[in-house]
PDB file of all heavy atoms in Angstrom:
ATOM      1  N   SER O 121      78.421 114.973  68.306  1.00 95.00           N
ATOM      2  CA  SER O 121      79.478 115.987  68.245  1.00 95.00           C
ATOM      3  C   SER O 121      80.855 115.359  68.238  1.00 95.00           C
ATOM      4  O   SER O 121      81.035 114.298  68.843  1.00 95.00           O
ATOM      5  CB  SER O 121      79.338 116.976  69.423  1.00 95.00           C
ATOM      6  OG  SER O 121      79.663 116.318  70.647  1.00 95.00           O
ATOM      7  N   ARG O 122      81.751 116.016  67.569  1.00 96.00           N
ATOM      8  CA  ARG O 122      83.147 115.656  67.565  1.00 96.00           C
ATOM      9  C   ARG O 122      83.968 116.913  67.928  1.00 96.00           C
ATOM     10  O   ARG O 122      83.627 117.998  67.459  1.00 96.00           O
ATOM     11  CB  ARG O 122      83.600 115.104  66.202  1.00 96.00           C
ATOM     12  CG  ARG O 122      83.155 113.708  65.953  1.00 96.00           C
ATOM     13  CD  ARG O 122      83.585 113.249  64.572  1.00 96.00           C
ATOM     14  NE  ARG O 122      82.625 113.643  63.569  1.00 96.00           N
ATOM     15  CZ  ARG O 122      82.764 113.406  62.248  1.00 96.00           C
ATOM     16  NH1 ARG O 122      83.860 112.830  61.825  1.00 96.00           N
ATOM     17  NH2 ARG O 122      81.844 113.779  61.396  1.00 96.00           N
ATOM     18  N   SER O 123      85.001 116.742  68.711  1.00 97.00           N
ATOM     19  CA  SER O 123      85.781 117.906  69.136  1.00 97.00           C
ATOM     20  C   SER O 123      87.256 117.548  69.202  1.00 97.00           C
ATOM     21  O   SER O 123      87.648 116.399  69.374  1.00 97.00           O
ATOM     22  CB  SER O 123      85.291 118.451  70.472  1.00 97.00           C
ATOM     23  OG  SER O 123      85.540 117.500  71.515  1.00 97.00           O
ATOM     24  N   ALA O 124      88.078 118.618  69.027  1.00 98.00           N
ATOM     25  CA  ALA O 124      89.513 118.485  69.187  1.00 98.00           C
ATOM     26  C   ALA O 124      89.984 119.733  69.916  1.00 98.00           C
ATOM     27  O   ALA O 124      89.658 120.859  69.526  1.00 98.00           O
ATOM     28  CB  ALA O 124      90.230 118.356  67.849  1.00 98.00           C
ATOM     29  N   ASP O 125      90.720 119.581  70.988  1.00 98.00           N
ATOM     30  CA  ASP O 125      91.191 120.723  71.805  1.00 98.00           C
ATOM     31  C   ASP O 125      92.681 120.592  72.105  1.00 98.00           C
ATOM     32  O   ASP O 125      93.128 119.543  72.601  1.00 98.00           O
ATOM     33  CB  ASP O 125      90.432 120.813  73.136  1.00 98.00           C
ATOM     34  CG  ASP O 125      88.966 121.151  72.931  1.00 98.00           C
ATOM     35  OD1 ASP O 125      88.676 122.357  72.828  1.00 98.00           O
ATOM     36  OD2 ASP O 125      88.127 120.233  72.853  1.00 98.00           O
ATOM     37  N   TRP O 126      93.460 121.646  71.788  1.00 98.00           N
ATOM     38  CA  TRP O 126      94.844 121.714  72.216  1.00 98.00           C
ATOM     39  C   TRP O 126      94.913 122.476  73.536  1.00 98.00           C
ATOM     40  O   TRP O 126      94.191 123.480  73.730  1.00 98.00           O
ATOM     41  CB  TRP O 126      95.657 122.471  71.189  1.00 98.00           C
ATOM     42  CG  TRP O 126      97.060 122.815  71.650  1.00 98.00           C
ATOM     43  CD1 TRP O 126      98.146 122.019  71.622  1.00 98.00           C
ATOM     44  CD2 TRP O 126      97.445 124.046  72.260  1.00 98.00           C
ATOM     45  NE1 TRP O 126      99.246 122.665  72.167  1.00 98.00           N
ATOM     46  CE2 TRP O 126      98.848 123.930  72.560  1.00 98.00           C
ATOM     47  CE3 TRP O 126      96.800 125.241  72.560  1.00 98.00           C
ATOM     48  CZ2 TRP O 126      99.545 124.932  73.164  1.00 98.00           C
ATOM     49  CZ3 TRP O 126      97.527 126.282  73.158  1.00 98.00           C
ATOM     50  CH2 TRP O 126      98.889 126.121  73.456  1.00 98.00           C
ATOM     51  N   TRP O 127      95.666 121.938  74.495  1.00 98.00           N
ATOM     52  CA  TRP O 127      95.744 122.579  75.826  1.00 98.00           C
ATOM     53  C   TRP O 127      97.214 122.699  76.232  1.00 98.00           C
ATOM     54  O   TRP O 127      98.084 121.939  75.808  1.00 98.00           O
ATOM     55  CB  TRP O 127      94.924 121.839  76.882  1.00 98.00           C
ATOM     56  CG  TRP O 127      95.320 120.393  76.974  1.00 98.00           C
ATOM     57  CD1 TRP O 127      94.703 119.332  76.348  1.00 98.00           C
ATOM     58  CD2 TRP O 127      96.342 119.814  77.786  1.00 98.00           C
ATOM     59  NE1 TRP O 127      95.306 118.157  76.657  1.00 98.00           N
ATOM     60  CE2 TRP O 127      96.317 118.408  77.564  1.00 98.00           C
ATOM     61  CE3 TRP O 127      97.289 120.347  78.637  1.00 98.00           C
ATOM     62  CZ2 TRP O 127      97.224 117.544  78.187  1.00 98.00           C
ATOM     63  CZ3 TRP O 127      98.183 119.478  79.291  1.00 98.00           C
ATOM     64  CH2 TRP O 127      98.159 118.099  79.031  1.00 98.00           C
ATOM     65  N   MET O 128      97.487 123.650  77.123  1.00 98.00           N
ATOM     66  CA  MET O 128      98.844 123.923  77.603  1.00 98.00           C
ATOM     67  C   MET O 128      98.778 124.332  79.078  1.00 98.00           C
ATOM     68  O   MET O 128      97.886 125.110  79.471  1.00 98.00           O
ATOM     69  CB  MET O 128      99.442 125.034  76.758  1.00 98.00           C
ATOM     70  CG  MET O 128     100.726 125.618  77.304  1.00 98.00           C
ATOM     71  SD  MET O 128     101.049 127.277  76.623  1.00 98.00           S
ATOM     72  CE  MET O 128     100.024 128.307  77.714  1.00 98.00           C
ATOM     73  N   ILE O 129      99.692 123.809  79.866  1.00 98.00           N
ATOM     74  CA  ILE O 129      99.864 124.265  81.263  1.00 98.00           C
ATOM     75  C   ILE O 129     101.345 124.504  81.479  1.00 98.00           C
ATOM     76  O   ILE O 129     102.150 123.610  81.387  1.00 98.00           O
ATOM     77  CB  ILE O 129      99.355 123.179  82.265  1.00 98.00           C
ATOM     78  CG1 ILE O 129      97.914 122.839  82.010  1.00 98.00           C
ATOM     79  CG2 ILE O 129      99.543 123.687  83.707  1.00 98.00           C
ATOM     80  CD1 ILE O 129      97.409 121.687  82.839  1.00 98.00           C
ATOM     81  N   ASN O 130     101.698 125.781  81.793  1.00 98.00           N
ATOM     82  CA  ASN O 130     103.091 126.175  82.088  1.00 98.00           C
ATOM     83  C   ASN O 130     103.199 126.576  83.549  1.00 98.00           C
ATOM     84  O   ASN O 130     102.512 127.515  83.982  1.00 98.00           O
ATOM     85  CB  ASN O 130     103.513 127.341  81.180  1.00 98.00           C
ATOM     86  CG  ASN O 130     103.641 126.896  79.740  1.00 98.00           C
ATOM     87  OD1 ASN O 130     103.653 125.728  79.384  1.00 98.00           O
ATOM     88  ND2 ASN O 130     103.767 127.893  78.848  1.00 98.00           N
ATOM     89  N   VAL O 131     104.000 125.863  84.305  1.00 97.00           N
ATOM     90  CA  VAL O 131     104.192 126.155  85.708  1.00 97.00           C
ATOM     91  C   VAL O 131     105.615 126.609  85.926  1.00 97.00           C
ATOM     92  O   VAL O 131     106.569 126.005  85.455  1.00 97.00           O
ATOM     93  CB  VAL O 131     103.939 124.915  86.592  1.00 97.00           C
ATOM     94  CG1 VAL O 131     104.092 125.219  88.081  1.00 97.00           C
ATOM     95  CG2 VAL O 131     102.537 124.345  86.318  1.00 97.00           C
ATOM     96  N   ASP O 132     105.774 127.777  86.633  1.00 97.00           N
ATOM     97  CA  ASP O 132     107.101 128.302  86.917  1.00 97.00           C
ATOM     98  C   ASP O 132     107.336 128.348  88.435  1.00 97.00           C
ATOM     99  O   ASP O 132     106.401 128.340  89.204  1.00 97.00           O
ATOM    100  CB  ASP O 132     107.196 129.751  86.350  1.00 97.00           C
ATOM    101  CG  ASP O 132     107.217 129.762  84.835  1.00 97.00           C
ATOM    102  OD1 ASP O 132     108.100 129.095  84.266  1.00 97.00           O
ATOM    103  OD2 ASP O 132     106.345 130.384  84.215  1.00 97.00           O
ATOM    104  N   ASP O 133     108.597 128.434  88.810  1.00 95.00           N
ATOM    105  CA  ASP O 133     109.012 128.470  90.227  1.00 95.00           C
ATOM    106  C   ASP O 133     108.473 127.249  90.989  1.00 95.00           C
ATOM    107  O   ASP O 133     107.915 127.376  92.090  1.00 95.00           O
ATOM    108  CB  ASP O 133     108.542 129.768  90.888  1.00 95.00           C
ATOM    109  CG  ASP O 133     109.152 130.985  90.242  1.00 95.00           C
ATOM    110  OD1 ASP O 133     110.337 130.957  89.945  1.00 95.00           O
ATOM    111  OD2 ASP O 133     108.424 131.974  90.065  1.00 95.00           O
ATOM    112  N   THR O 134     108.588 126.087  90.370  1.00 96.00           N
ATOM    113  CA  THR O 134     108.026 124.873  90.981  1.00 96.00           C
ATOM    114  C   THR O 134     108.703 124.591  92.346  1.00 96.00           C
ATOM    115  O   THR O 134     109.887 124.849  92.531  1.00 96.00           O
ATOM    116  CB  THR O 134     108.226 123.669  90.087  1.00 96.00           C
ATOM    117  OG1 THR O 134     109.597 123.520  89.735  1.00 96.00           O
ATOM    118  CG2 THR O 134     107.413 123.782  88.811  1.00 96.00           C
ATOM    119  N   ILE O 135     107.924 124.117  93.279  1.00 96.00           N
ATOM    120  CA  ILE O 135     108.393 123.811  94.654  1.00 96.00           C
ATOM    121  C   ILE O 135     108.939 122.399  94.655  1.00 96.00           C
ATOM    122  O   ILE O 135     108.215 121.458  94.382  1.00 96.00           O
ATOM    123  CB  ILE O 135     107.233 124.016  95.641  1.00 96.00           C
ATOM    124  CG1 ILE O 135     106.701 125.432  95.628  1.00 96.00           C
ATOM    125  CG2 ILE O 135     107.700 123.617  97.053  1.00 96.00           C
ATOM    126  CD1 ILE O 135     105.470 125.656  96.449  1.00 96.00           C
ATOM    127  N   GLN O 136     110.224 122.278  94.984  1.00 95.00           N
ATOM    128  CA  GLN O 136     110.868 120.992  94.887  1.00 95.00           C
ATOM    129  C   GLN O 136     111.818 120.753  96.050  1.00 95.00           C
ATOM    130  O   GLN O 136     112.277 121.667  96.697  1.00 95.00           O
ATOM    131  CB  GLN O 136     111.705 120.889  93.577  1.00 95.00           C
ATOM    132  CG  GLN O 136     110.923 121.091  92.317  1.00 95.00           C
ATOM    133  CD  GLN O 136     111.812 120.835  91.122  1.00 95.00           C
ATOM    134  OE1 GLN O 136     112.483 119.802  91.009  1.00 95.00           O
ATOM    135  NE2 GLN O 136     111.820 121.753  90.189  1.00 95.00           N
ATOM    136  N   LEU O 137     112.135 119.490  96.250  1.00 94.00           N
ATOM    137  CA  LEU O 137     113.215 119.049  97.124  1.00 94.00           C
ATOM    138  C   LEU O 137     114.317 118.492  96.216  1.00 94.00           C
ATOM    139  O   LEU O 137     114.129 117.427  95.590  1.00 94.00           O
ATOM    140  CB  LEU O 137     112.775 117.984  98.127  1.00 94.00           C
ATOM    141  CG  LEU O 137     112.155 118.432  99.431  1.00 94.00           C
ATOM    142  CD1 LEU O 137     111.783 117.238 100.260  1.00 94.00           C
ATOM    143  CD2 LEU O 137     113.109 119.306 100.193  1.00 94.00           C
TER     144      LEU O 137
END
Side-chain angles (χ1 to χ4, degrees):
S121 69
R122 283 178 275 178
S123 65
D125 293 276
W126 169 84
W127 54 267
M128 168 201 83
I129 303 174
N130 291 347
V131 182
D132 291 302
D133 299 319
T134 54
I135 299 172
Q136 301 186 51
L137 273 180

